[in-house]
Structure formats: structure tokens, C-alpha cells
Amino acid sequence: MRTILFARKGALLFSLWLTVLSLVAFTAEAEILPGNPELARRIVPQGAVLLRNKADALPLLHGEKIAVFGSGQLAFQPGGHGSAFLSCTPVTAPLDALRREADSGNFQLEQETEKAYRANRNLKVTPEFVKRARSGADTAIIVLSRSSREGRDRSPGLGGWLLTPEEEEMFHSINEARFKKTVVILNTPGSVDTSFLDRFRIDALLLIHMPGMAGGEALADLLTGRAYPSGKLTATWMKTLAAHPSIASLNESTAYVNYYEDIFVGYRWFSTFDPAGEGVRFPFGFGLGYTSFEIGAIEAKHDKSTITVTASVRNTGKRSGREVLQLYFAAPQGKLGRPGAELAAFAKTPELAPDAECKLELSIAIDQMAAYDDTGRSGNPSCWVLEAGDYRLLLGNSLPDAMKRPVLTFRQAELRVVQRLSEKLAPQKLPRRLLADGSYETLRGPRPTVIRPDRAVRIEGEAFCASHPAVRIERFPGGRCLTHMSGPDRRFVEYLLQVEQQGRYSLLLNAANGNRPVPDLMLLSVNGRMQQVKIAVPQSSSGVGGNPWYNFVNLKPITVDLPAGEVRLRFISNGNFVNVDYFLLAPEEGSSAKFVEFTQKKGPVRNRKRRSQLNFVRLELQQQKSGRIDDFLDQFSDEDLVDLLGGGAGRILRGTGSIGVSAAFGIPGADTADGPAGLRLDVPTTWWPNSTLLASCWDTAVAVNFGRAVGREARLNHVDIWLAPGMNIQRTPLCGRNFEYYSEDPLLSGKVAAAVAVGAAGAGISVAYKHFACNNVERNRSNSDSRVSERALREIYLRGFQIALRESPGLFVMSSYNLINGTESAESVELLEDILRGEWEFKGVVITDWKNNSSHSAEIAAGNDVKMPEGNKKELLAALRSGRLDRATILRSARRVVITMLKLRAMQKIADSSSGSPSRK
Ligand code: BGC
């Protein structure tokens, strides 16, 4: 154990001693919590989805002669790669698990095939090889695996969504060899092309997702019939990728993704535009079992606020199983237009033996059926509204099954506004969005910047509404700037302004130039008319690259005449360009005075003397006293505060760093670890089934147990914050991180995430809901702009987070790498302060995703409290010095960090005292 040096001179001995206890470093030992691998093994069948089972091909019969094909039997994918990958954990591959079954006499495993695959896991099988295998086996089992990773999207091509030529050949040879049965196991992160079902005779198709460390054994459980599958799909599997509503937008640009399909994500699209399911291979909510069920005795009623449906489920087959009831609603089209169906509630039966029956109750709040009117079509802009008409409630064991079983019609006599909000995160550049009648709506153009007659207005370089295609935004330490303007092709950027008062304005550019001075930087036009101005730029830095290049200076202001009303201001390159960070526009009269607030340098950073010895341990003891937190933070110099708002190295080995450490004031901080398939440390920990499998259980009780078990293992390994659940919407089947996410549906995502968080909290661990929001592709994820309507944000992309935070208010939220409608998530005031904190009343801490590329000071200004894995101290202090950020804003985040640390420790103490789990003191 190592002790971190922490005390300042003069600290009281008592608090020194207590502080030492809080700041010891932990060496993690190999800590898999006993019982966790067994629990992981039991979860797999509950989320495994049986997609086809002709003539009860599964489970296999005792003693059945099997030959196993496909590299996946050894090159098995327990999980995806990137931060969710648990490299230290021992994993049993399917072939090894099946070999054990064969050794215990449950199957006969064809040995030549086994030997050949053990010698070469990427074996290319020939028709002759398969024929020989057929002579020793009646059943062919193909394990088809696909990997997936953070930072890269899945390939739509061969070996990605499609089979490789070798796999195709293998399927073909197996088909030709005429096994009595062919069973395909899909060990994939999500959907793959299953057109092989049309080309070859396949009797059973079983999806085990990425099932974690116990996946091999769990597969053996499923094949022998010791366990039965009871999972249901959480996303639509279509026949061809092209049929998916997201695909058209994916290759348009690497710089942005236009969410043209709007709210019609996944099954919402299919239920609206393809209700017969012609393009669908396996629908949302679908999954078979080893038995059959009958839904009966349905009763549906509603009062003023709630709709309640009860139904009985009877096992009509010969084996045990579990069934999921899904309640959907189909809203009236009204003026807004609605999807064909939307998931409202779900419930899963307990295990039902043959002939056994149980009753399930599902209920939803009527307000839950409201739609968000972002443009005022219903007459109520920025409101959640229930339009007048019939809302049909549908019940079934999959979406198509429910479409056939209406159980209640709820009539809304007239339009009712459920909640009034205001415009937030409105798209600036999304050209159009899909409507329920199949037409596209052109959205209002970009919002202009209002130019005031009484003060200077700052316009960021990147806030242009139109540009030459070659123009780019470049990161520099502490900000972003316009670049790639030089070229013979008259490159331009255009800004949309709303000028309140006609007149003469001063325009001041903030720019950096590593080259020789430029006397005539660029031309300027106002509403298409060229202006007689000269913009001169001195050489402000050495030009050798790196930070000196970005030595931004204020250029000499120029004068422009602006008419009142909407104005298009265009900068046109003269072929010679330097970096522009932002520009200021102020009324000419007294304008230099108006610029002062932007340009003046502030005095030195205050270094506070500590008035008393109030350290964190004392604060913890005395926190009931009002004002103590302010007193505590009052002792922090600006530097101390800035330190607090950047992540630290952490005390656990190969964790992902810590949050909220202050050595000077005795805050021990909280250690983080990834997420979401377990705890990524450099010691073996339980590798759990991936998130999609967990959600495929459609059982929040399973998710609570899972969360609790991870939480306990986290406590054992001295982890305080678990960087999970990942809960972005599976907008496209090709997103490289879908395996870390739950579903294409926000209700299911939100409910499962909340349940996981409840479980973890029971063990004293807080989750960090991630990635907030719209990180729906991995390609260029740090610079990709998700252009999406407010309605789709509210109804789809933010909704899961909202549900989770309402049902289990976690202490942390992780912002995402991407931009949303032109603003970095971590820098978005509207996302973090207005929606997350203002509307949803989130009281915890927002952390960034690791090594994002936003500016630390802009993050703090937007309410993103902690930058991970470390802060940008220099930039933050510079922002303080220049007055771009004030101490009060920094204190706002610091306060949240300290309060959250106190809550976390209180939660851990409760968990420790109730469970007797190891405490960290
Ligand atoms: C991922 C996060 C993860 C973090 C820490 C990032 O690359 O996007 O999900 O929690 O790394 O490992």
C-alpha cells in the first residue's frame, strides 16, 4: 500500500489521521465475487433469443451426435472491444463447454471436426471435410461470431453484416451434406444478414449475443435443455440492411449525421411504413421458447390518469418456460403524426411449468402517450401534447402479435397540453425530417444571432450557417477555430444575424497567425454586397506548430454598416488564411468600451489562505450545519478549485481514474471503472453478458440483480463509480457500440438502466449513465454532429436517460463525445443546465467522456463539472484570468462535486452496514 502525500503545513493531527485513512492507495487483488460467474451463466438463457425452432430441433436430444463448425466455437466473442473489454477474465469457449458435455455423455461430439478446429480455429471447410463429418454426426451446429468495438462502426460488408465467402461455402457444404438437423448459433453484437435462412435448410437459430465469460457453459445449458431461452429482440432485424431507416444517412458525411427518419427509429419506422413487415426478418419483441403460451382473460381499464391491463399467461407446451407480455399503444395521427406503435409497458412471467398459468398486470400513465410538438403544428410549440382521438392499446408477446390484439381504446376528447417547455437544442442544419405520411418536412433554417444596439455580441467561428465545403473547424487547446479557408476557390463562411437596430458596427476578429503578417486577410459581404474593408493580421506566433501556433490576438476592429433585420454576413478568403477563433460585433458608438468585457485581462488568480482547518472529513462529520460546504469551498484557491474539476489518477490499479480528489483538503475522491459488461481492471473480474443481452431478458428484476452483483464486486475491488450503463439508442444496426447499449426503444432502455442503477446503489455504488446523448455512430465520434429534431430528441434520444434518472437518480452522468445540433454535448448549456438539471432536476455531477475534445472552460460554463481523465488546468486558469469564466461558475461545479462525494460516501456506508460488505472507511 502506498500513501499519497496530502497534508498542508499546519493541518490538525486529528484530521490528518482521518485523512490518511481516506487517501490510501489500493492494490486490487484478483477479485471475482463468488457466485457472480454462476449468476452471469443464469442470465444468458433469459436473454438468449430463439429465432427459429422447426420441429423442436432444440433442445438437442440426449446422446445426439453433433459436429460443430465455424470459427466462433473457439474464436468466441464474450463481449465487445474497447472500454467494455475485460481482457483478464477466463472464458470458456463453446467448443470446450460442449466437449465437457460430451465427456459426461450428454452428446457425442464428432472428433475429426473438433480436432481440425482445435488445430486451426479459422479452418476453411471443404465439401469433402463436411461429408466426412456427416458420417459421424446427425446434427451440424454452426457458431457464427462477429466482433464489435468502440471507436469503429461495424462493417456492412463481407465478414461484417454479411457472411464471408468462406462462411457461405461452409453453409453450402453443410446444406449439401444433408445433416438431419442444422442449428445456427449467433454470437453477434446485434443483427446480421440472415438470408442464409432462405438459401439453406436451417432448423434452429439461436441468438446468444455476446454472452460474457459464462457464455460457453450457458450455451451448453441451452442446447442440453437444462435451461431454456426466454429472451426477446430489443431491436428489429430486417431482411436487408438497406431496408433500415438509418442506413441512407450514414454515408452522407463523416462530419455529421442527419437524423432524417426523425422519431421513426427501428420498429417505429416499420410499424408505420411497413406494417405487414415485408422488410422485417425478425420483429421487435420477438423470441420463441422451448414451449408455447396462450394469453387470455384480458381485462383493460383506465381511470383519469392510468391505463391498466391484466392478462393471464398459460404454458400450453410440454416444457417449462417464461413469456413476456408487451403493451404498445397506437396514437391517433392528429396534426403531429405518430408511429404505428410505441412500447408502453412490459412484464415477464415467472417460470411456468407445462399447464401452469399466471396473471400479469401492466399499467401506463396516460400522459406517457403524449407527443412532443417542437414546431407548433398542433398549436402548442415546445409542448408535450395529447392530441384528440382514439389511443389503441395493444397487447402481445411481440410487436406483430400485439398489433393483432387491441385490448382497449382510450378516447381523448380534445387536445390536452401535458407539459409546457421551451425550445432547446433546436437543429440548425438538419435539412428535413420524415413525417408519418411518408413526406418530409423542411425544418426552419438556422437560428440567427441577435445583434444588440447596446452591447457587444460574441460569435464563434464555428457558428456559421453556410460554408464552402472545404472549410473545417479545428481544435486548438481551449477552443475551436475556423480553418482550411486558404485555397484558390474563394472559400467562405456565412453567419446569420438578426440585427435589432440599423447602424454602424465595429467588428473585431480574434485570430492566430503563425505566418508572416497578412495585410488583407479576407473580404466581407453583407447580404451579398461586398464591403470596402481591409482586415490586417500580424504574425502572432512562431508558426512551428503545437501550441504557439494558436496564439490568438485581437485584430484591429473594422467598421461595417448593418441594416436592421435578417443579415447574412459572409467572410470570403483571399487565398491566405489564418485561424479565427471568434469575432465580436458591437455598435460603433463607444464600441471599444463594449469590447472590454471580452478582451481585458483580469488580475492574477486568487490564492486563498485557509481560514480554518475545515477538511473533507470534518465536513463529512458536520455537513448538517448549513453553509458548511460554502465555508469549505471558500478555502479553495482558484487553483485548488480547478484541480478538483479534473479527474485524477485514482488509487486502484488499472481503474479509469478518479473524480473529486483534493489532496489539500482531504477529499479522497471516488474511483471509477468501466462498464458496462463488468469491471475493467487489471485483475480478473466477472465478465457479464453484454447490455443487449441483458435488455433482451425484458426483466427488470434480472437487471437489478445484475446491478447489485456488479456493485458488490465493485466494492470488493475498491471501485466507487461504475462507468455504466451505456444507454444510447441503437439507432442503426451498424453502430460499433450497440453491444454496450440496450435497445432501439427508449422505454426499454430507460427501465433496464434504472434497474441496473438501483441494484448497484444497493451495493453502495453509483453508476454514471452514459453517453449523454446521441453518440449513435462511432466513426469520427468526437467531431460528428448529430443533427436531430427536438421532437426526436425528446421522444427517443433523451427519453431513456430521463426515465432512468427519474426512476433511479444516479449521482453521475457522462456526456458524450459528439456534437448535438452543432454544439459539443459537454459544452451544451441547453442539454446539461436547461434540460438535465432544469427540467429533470438532476442534482449530481456531469463528467466528460475520456479525452474528449471540448474546451474545459466551456464545459464548466455549460455545467459539465468534471473533465476526465484529467482537467485542462492551464486553459481553465487562463479563462478565469481573462474573465471568460468567473469563480462563481467554477464554484457551482465544485459544490456539486463535494455534495456528490458526501452522498456517495453516505450511500456506501448504508450499503456496508446492511450487507457487511468490505468498507473502504
Ligand atoms: C468510453 C467510455 C468509457 C471511458 C473510460 C471512453 O473511451 O467512451 O464509455 O467509460 O472511455 O474508459
Side-chain angles (χ1 to χ4, degrees), residues 510-645:
N510 186 261
N513 176 20
N515 302 313
R516 63 194 156 67
V518 185
D520 205 353
L521 177 64
M522 50 193 175
L523 312 168
L524 191 66
S525 74
V526 172
N527 287 344
R529 294 185 62 165
M530 299 309 292
Q531 306 293 300
Q532 296 302 315
V533 290
K534 262 207 182 336
I535 305 175
V537 195
Q539 180 170 349
S540 66
S541 54
S542 66
V544 269
N547 289 356
W549 185 273
Y550 298 101
N551 185 22
F552 287 88
V553 293
N554 289 328
L555 308 187
K556 196 159 164 265
I558 53 165
T559 299
V560 279
D561 286 320
L562 298 179
E566 197 171 282
V567 169
R568 289 183 172 266
L569 187 77
R570 183 178 280 215
F571 294 119
I572 306 152
S573 163
N574 256 341
N576 197 352
F577 200 75
V578 293
N579 299 314
V580 171
D581 181 3
Y582 61 85
F583 62 98
L584 303 172
L585 266 174
E588 183 85 310
E589 183 73 2
S591 63
S592 55
K594 304 286 181 205
F595 287 150
V596 164
E597 62 177 291
F598 294 96
T599 54
Q600 77 176 0
K601 296 257 187 278
K602 286 271 161 74
V605 181
R606 282 162 290 187
N607 258 319
R608 302 218 154 190
K609 278 262 178 312
R610 280 202 273 168
R611 285 201 307 258
S612 67
Q613 273 309 322
L614 180 57
N615 73 0
F616 186 71
V617 180
R618 285 190 150 200
L619 178 72
E620 207 179 345
L621 298 172
Q622 303 174 8
Q623 61 176 303
Q624 303 85 333
K625 287 196 193 160
S626 62
R628 278 323 244 166
I629 290 175
D630 295 325
D631 285 352
F632 177 60
L633 285 171
D634 208 33
Q635 307 169 113
F636 282 55
S637 69
D638 289 349
E639 290 220 13
D640 294 329
L641 287 177
V642 162
D643 278 343
L644 185 67
L645 301 184

Side-chain angles (χ1 to χ4, degrees), residues 1-6 19-21 23-25:
M1 281 210 275
R2 182 165 55 92
T3 304
I4 295 172
L5 193 62
F6 60 93
T19 309
V20 171
L21 277 184
L23 291 173
V24 285

Side-chain angles (χ1 to χ4, degrees), residues 148-223:
S148 197
R149 61 168 310 119
E150 175 181 347
R152 193 183 304 156
D153 289 316
R154 289 178 59 201
S155 151
L158 303 178
W161 207 70
L162 302 174
L163 294 182
T164 61
E166 292 77 22
E167 285 166 342
E168 178 75 24
E169 184 60 38
M170 174 180 71
F171 269 80
H172 188 259
S173 303
I174 291 170
N175 199 54
E176 293 297 295
R178 300 192 180 280
F179 284 84
K180 284 192 189 154
K181 271 187 207 173
T182 301
V183 174
V184 178
I185 309 296
L186 296 175
N187 167 216
T188 59
S191 62
V192 286
D193 178 36
T194 46
S195 60
F196 54 75
L197 294 173
D198 303 330
R199 293 193 297 281
F200 309 117
R201 213 205 77 199
I202 308 290
D203 300 282
L205 184 63
L206 177 64
L207 168 67
I208 57 167
H209 309 267
M210 292 174 147
M213 68 189 291
E217 287 97 350
L219 176 60
D221 294 340
L222 284 161
L223 294 182

Side-chain angles (χ1 to χ4, degrees), residues 263-264 332-338 371-378 383 385 387 435-436 791 795:
I263 55 164
F264 300 99
Q333 286 305 312
K335 290 197 171 127
L336 295 177
R338 303 294 294 261
Y372 192 73
D373 183 359
D374 51 0
T375 55
R377 278 178 161 252
S378 76
C383 289
V385 292
E387 288 197 88
L435 298 175
R791 179 176 182 191
E795 291 189 21

Side-chain angles (χ1 to χ4, degrees), residues 699-713:
D699 188 344
T700 50
V702 171
V704 172
N705 288 340
F706 160 75
R708 191 184 304 118
V710 179
R712 287 188 179 149
E713 197 167 284

Side-chain angles (χ1 to χ4, degrees), residues 54-84:
K54 280 191 179 164
D56 292 335
L58 289 180
L60 301 176
L61 303 173
H62 187 78
E64 200 161 317
K65 290 181 183 169
I66 59 173
V68 187
F69 298 90
S71 58
Q73 59 183 300
L74 283 166
F76 174 60
Q77 302 292 323
H81 293 255
S83 54

Side-chain angles (χ1 to χ4, degrees), residues 351-594:
E351 176 168 300
L352 293 177
D355 265 343
E357 183 169 336
C358 80
K359 213 170 196 159
L360 292 180
E361 184 179 291
L362 298 93
S363 64
I364 68 159
I366 289 169
D367 289 358
Q368 196 184 313
M369 298 191 294
Y372 192 73
D373 183 359
D374 51 0
T375 55
R377 278 178 161 252
S378 76
N380 300 278
S382 306
C383 289
W384 283 100
V385 292
L386 269 175
E387 288 197 88
D390 288 345
Y391 290 74
R392 290 184 313 122
L393 277 299
L394 313 158
L395 183 74
N397 64 4
S398 70
L399 171 59
D401 185 51
M403 299 281 259
K404 289 185 285 194
R405 199 179 288 110
V407 294
L408 175 88
T409 299
F410 167 80
R411 171 151 298 176
Q412 177 69 33
E414 52 187 39
L415 180 144
R416 180 160 70 79
V417 173
V418 169
Q419 194 183 14
R420 231 171 247 292
L421 297 168
S422 57
E423 183 178 289
K424 296 283 173 249
L425 299 170
Q428 308 289 305
K429 294 182 179 170
L430 176 67
R432 59 183 187 279
R433 58 126 167 239
L434 182 61
L435 298 175
D437 63 4
S439 66
Y440 283 88
E441 178 181 35
T442 307
L443 289 169
R444 198 188 45 193
R447 264 185 296 178
T449 306
V450 178
I451 304 300
R452 313 264 311 253
D454 58 345
R455 64 172 152 97
V457 174
R458 173 176 163 136
I459 301 165
E460 300 297 334
E462 63 266 30
F464 51 83
C465 64
S467 69
H468 183 281
V471 172
R472 298 259 181 289
I473 299 299
E474 192 180 327
R475 287 250 350 122
F476 65 90
R480 300 160 75 81
C481 68
L482 270 183
T483 188
H484 288 225
M485 289 286 285
S486 46
D489 42 0
R490 306 274 277 182
R491 297 183 180 178
F492 70 91
V493 280
E494 187 167 284
Y495 299 86
L496 188 61
L497 313 176
Q498 181 66 36
V499 180
E500 286 191 347
Q501 199 172 298
Q502 174 202 347
R504 201 142 258 221
Y505 288 80
S506 257
L507 187 157
L508 180 155
L509 277 153
N510 186 261
N513 176 20
N515 302 313
R516 63 194 156 67
V518 185
D520 205 353
L521 177 64
M522 50 193 175
L523 312 168
L524 191 66
S525 74
V526 172
N527 287 344
R529 294 185 62 165
M530 299 309 292
Q531 306 293 300
Q532 296 302 315
V533 290
K534 262 207 182 336
I535 305 175
V537 195
Q539 180 170 349
S540 66
S541 54
S542 66
V544 269
N547 289 356
W549 185 273
Y550 298 101
N551 185 22
F552 287 88
V553 293
N554 289 328
L555 308 187
K556 196 159 164 265
I558 53 165
T559 299
V560 279
D561 286 320
L562 298 179
E566 197 171 282
V567 169
R568 289 183 172 266
L569 187 77
R570 183 178 280 215
F571 294 119
I572 306 152
S573 163
N574 256 341
N576 197 352
F577 200 75
V578 293
N579 299 314
V580 171
D581 181 3
Y582 61 85
F583 62 98
L584 303 172
L585 266 174
E588 183 85 310
E589 183 73 2
S591 63
S592 55
K594 304 286 181 205

